[in-house]
Amino acid sequence: MKHVTGILLALLWAGSATAAPVAVTNHSFEELYLGNNNLPPEYGGVVPAGSFPVGDPPTGWTLYDPGSATTQGGYVGVLNPGVQADYPPGDPAYFPLGAPDGNNAVLLYFDGDQTGPAYGVEQALADTLTANMRYTVHVDVGNIASGTALVQPFQGFGYYDLRGFPGYRVELLAGGVVIGQDDNTLVTSGTLADSTSEGVFQTSVFQVDVPASHPQLGQPLGIRLVSRNMADVPGVRGIEVDFDNVRIDASPVAAIPLSPGAVAVLLGVMAGL
């Protein structure tokens, strides 16, 4: 009877186990951001709606640029798209519904109509890769629409033709090694692939199950957001991908989800025992 009770308790524990979040610094890109001092000082680092200062990566993130894209026309920055109500009538917003979480998103913009090196931002995390865990990654990926900035000095750049999409990757790392990724599946599936998806964010989701034999066990986790930097619409110089709301959860791989009805039955059996 003790063995039966132990099994039931184990099943109940497995069914009630919940995913634990893995901490990501500045996961929604809301921390103060000046760019390379190109955000006017009166804003104090609070990016106003309809502006996009560029320069260093956002707080907590570092540049990933193995092909030197940022010396060939690549930019990293923070975009506050605002919402459609912030724009004059008839003037399209970059993202009519705004950023998915908070006000800001990280931007990866390339000034050129030819294919360039992939680049992006990444972050080393405090958590380490643990055996018998499932890591689930959620990141919102945006296909920016064409438009004009709302405030100076960005407004002086005029209308940005941002048709097309350069593709993206979201990578989970351990010890600097990619252990799982979403390589452009929102595009290849048609979810984020054409003009109907401009001005829209969609959520990238993937999972990584870690066996006890994984070679990167104990290594620090990392997250990387990448523009594949693929030319799309001929003659359109600006291509951009935006990312927001980076979330990573960890849960035991062996967790057995139980329905509320099954839990009630097991509790009844335990009460009878």
Side-chain angles (χ1 to χ4, degrees):
M1 191 172 293
K2 288 182 179 179
H3 292 300
V4 173
T5 304
I7 292 170
L8 293 173
L9 286 171
L11 288 170
L12 285 171
W13 175 85
S16 61
T18 57
V22 175
V24 178
T25 300
N26 197 17
H27 80 284
S28 191
F29 310 101
E30 302 302 314
E31 295 193 18
L32 299 179
Y33 183 78
L34 289 169
N36 284 352
N37 297 316
N38 63 349
L39 182 67
E42 62 263 29
Y43 293 111
V46 178
V47 180
S51 63
F52 39 84
V54 297
D56 296 328
T59 298
W61 298 82
T62 58
L63 180 65
Y64 170 73
D65 192 13
S68 301
T70 53
T71 67
Q72 304 172 49
Y75 294 88
V76 174
V78 168
L79 167 72
N80 179 347
V83 297
Q84 186 62 64
D86 294 321
Y87 290 75
D91 190 357
Y94 294 116
F95 289 100
L97 299 180
D101 186 67
N103 297 317
N104 299 339
V106 64
L107 70 88
L108 301 174
Y109 171 82
F110 193 80
D111 185 21
D113 61 357
Q114 302 297 316
T115 296
Y119 73 107
V121 294
E122 60 186 358
Q123 182 177 147
L125 307 176
D127 287 51
T128 57
L129 189 69
T130 304
N132 302 317
M133 297 293 285
R134 170 173 292 164
Y135 294 91
T136 304
V137 180
H138 293 77
V139 179
D140 293 326
V141 184
N143 180 0
I144 191 170
S146 303
T148 304
L150 294 177
V151 299
Q152 294 292 5
F154 315 102
Q155 194 175 40
F157 300 149
Y159 181 80
Y160 269 83
D161 187 350
L162 296 168
R163 289 174 295 158
F165 189 69
Y168 73 94
R169 286 199 309 272
V170 178
E171 300 174 344
L172 184 67
L173 304 96
V177 175
V178 177
I179 60 171
Q181 65 179 349
D182 171 8
D183 188 3
N184 218 34
T185 59
L186 292 174
V187 173
T188 56
S189 68
T191 306
L192 200 67
D194 56 29
S195 60
T196 63
S197 66
E198 290 188 347
V200 171
F201 279 89
Q202 300 287 354
T203 303
S204 162
V205 184
F206 67 94
Q207 293 181 327
V208 180
D209 288 345
V210 182
S213 59
H214 199 288
Q216 297 301 108
L217 288 181
Q219 295 295 311
L221 291 170
I223 184 73
R224 181 181 291 156
L225 312 175
V226 178
S227 169
R228 296 176 86 242
N229 212 4
M230 304 297 293
D232 191 355
V233 180
V236 174
R237 290 187 56 82
I239 51 175
E240 178 172 327
V241 57
D242 303 88
F243 296 96
D244 192 24
N245 202 15
V246 180
R247 294 145 286 164
I248 306 173
D249 292 325
S251 57
V253 173
I256 303 171
L258 295 180
S259 67
V263 170
V265 170
L266 288 171
L267 287 174
V269 173
M270 289 180 66
L273 291 173

